[in-house]
Amino acid sequence: MKKLIVLLSIVVFFITGCSVTILDNANLGQNIKILLSDKVKLYNVYFDGYKYYVPRGMKFFNKEEYNALFSDRFGNKYYLYVDAISYYHKVENTYKPKKDVHYSKKLNYNNKTGYIQIDKSKDRYYVQFVFNYAKMEAIVSSRDLASVVNNMCYILRSVKFNDKVLESLIGDNVLSYKEENYTLFKPDSSKEDFLDVVSKYEDEAYNKAILEDEIDLDDE
């Protein structure tokens, strides 16, 4: 019965060509549990020290070594930050679920930890999804919330680090990046910050500049 929920969502998604809205947090949590519990070994994006898989139908935009931007077939944009430093030092996940947001949950599947937090402002949702030492963010409508969270699960669960390469990079002080490059705003920011981000996110000039950096992705 648990897997039936995900299977039905996938079937409806491909038949209608539209994203499936998760109606309640119980279904949302169940989908996340099923997808993150599944062990996969699929990769189609490779960098020094790590690799991951981007599902079919998504476009990949490379901006910085450890930061990336994606879009899906519905025009939603996803920000990814891979925290290789925290992985290397095995930093503990200290997130505490919050009660004053739309959805908040600490995650632990297949010896990988993280959290998901979803804030809502009017008809828009700000998703912060951290898992396996990588973080994804997106701002979406209720219609696309289910498919966006599913896509994040596919990417985050697939992140795999190369310990030998990271040892070399970090030891030689070659690894350098800043988390704020693609962090929209901090979790404790105000609703005003949220609206400012939405405004930038929907700016036509900003979106046009992003599309000019599109990179073809060979799906395996």
Side-chain angles (χ1 to χ4, degrees):
M1 183 62 186
K2 293 181 179 179
K3 291 189 175 181
L4 183 60
I5 297 175
V6 175
L7 292 176
L8 287 176
S9 297
I10 294 174
V11 170
V12 174
F13 177 85
F14 283 107
I15 291 178
T16 64
C18 299
S19 58
V20 180
T21 301
I22 296 176
L23 299 179
D24 55 53
N25 288 343
N27 285 343
L28 176 65
Q30 191 61 41
N31 264 26
I32 292 172
K33 178 181 179 180
I34 292 172
L35 293 177
L36 294 186
S37 297
D38 192 16
K39 296 181 179 180
V40 295
K41 293 184 179 180
L42 292 175
Y43 312 102
N44 54 12
V45 176
Y46 300 83
F47 287 103
D48 289 340
Y50 69 98
K51 57 186 176 181
Y52 53 83
Y53 174 77
V54 177
R56 187 184 299 275
M58 294 188 68
K59 296 179 180 179
F60 172 69
F61 306 87
N62 183 25
K63 304 298 293 184
E64 297 289 344
E65 284 191 15
Y66 291 85
N67 298 275
L69 176 65
F70 308 87
S71 70
D72 60 25
R73 68 188 70 190
F74 305 109
N76 297 302
K77 296 176 181 63
Y78 306 65
Y79 298 78
L80 170 67
Y81 166 69
V82 178
D83 193 353
I85 290 291
S86 291
Y87 168 80
Y88 181 78
H89 293 290
K90 298 298 183 289
V91 176
E92 182 181 356
N93 174 22
T94 59
Y95 179 81
K96 294 182 179 180
K98 300 181 179 180
K99 296 182 179 180
D100 59 343
V101 298
H102 178 74
Y103 187 78
S104 176
K105 183 177 179 61
K106 191 170 183 178
L107 307 170
N108 189 337
Y109 301 103
N110 294 327
N111 297 318
K112 300 174 182 178
T113 65
Y115 67 87
I116 181 170
Q117 179 175 316
I118 302 176
D119 296 88
K120 182 180 179 181
S121 180
K122 295 184 179 179
D123 61 341
R124 305 292 276 175
Y125 294 84
Y126 170 50
V127 183
Q128 298 180 82
F129 200 151
V130 175
F131 190 70
N132 194 23
Y133 293 101
K135 178 179 183 179
M136 295 195 74
E137 297 174 290
I139 295 177
V140 301
S141 65
S142 59
R143 183 196 68 179
D144 294 338
L145 181 59
S147 63
V148 167
V149 171
N150 285 351
N151 283 333
M152 288 182 171
C153 285
Y154 296 139
I155 294 174
L156 293 174
R157 74 182 185 183
S158 72
V159 175
K160 183 176 178 60
F161 295 93
N162 187 316
D163 292 341
K164 292 184 178 179
V165 173
L166 290 180
E167 173 69 31
S168 174
L169 292 173
I170 296 175
D172 294 335
N173 295 319
V174 176
L175 193 61
S176 61
Y177 55 88
K178 293 183 178 180
E179 181 175 358
E180 59 267 27
N181 286 348
Y182 282 124
T183 297
L184 301 185
F185 58 87
K186 297 179 180 180
D188 58 354
S189 297
S190 65
K191 293 297 181 182
E192 288 73 18
D193 291 325
F194 182 95
L195 296 176
D196 288 341
V197 173
V198 172
S199 177
K200 176 183 178 182
Y201 187 83
E202 296 178 337
D203 182 77
E204 292 184 3
Y206 175 69
N207 290 334
K208 181 179 179 181
I210 288 175
L211 292 175
E212 291 176 351
D213 288 331
E214 178 180 338
I215 294 177
D216 291 331
L217 181 65
D218 294 328
D219 201 351
E220 296 182 347

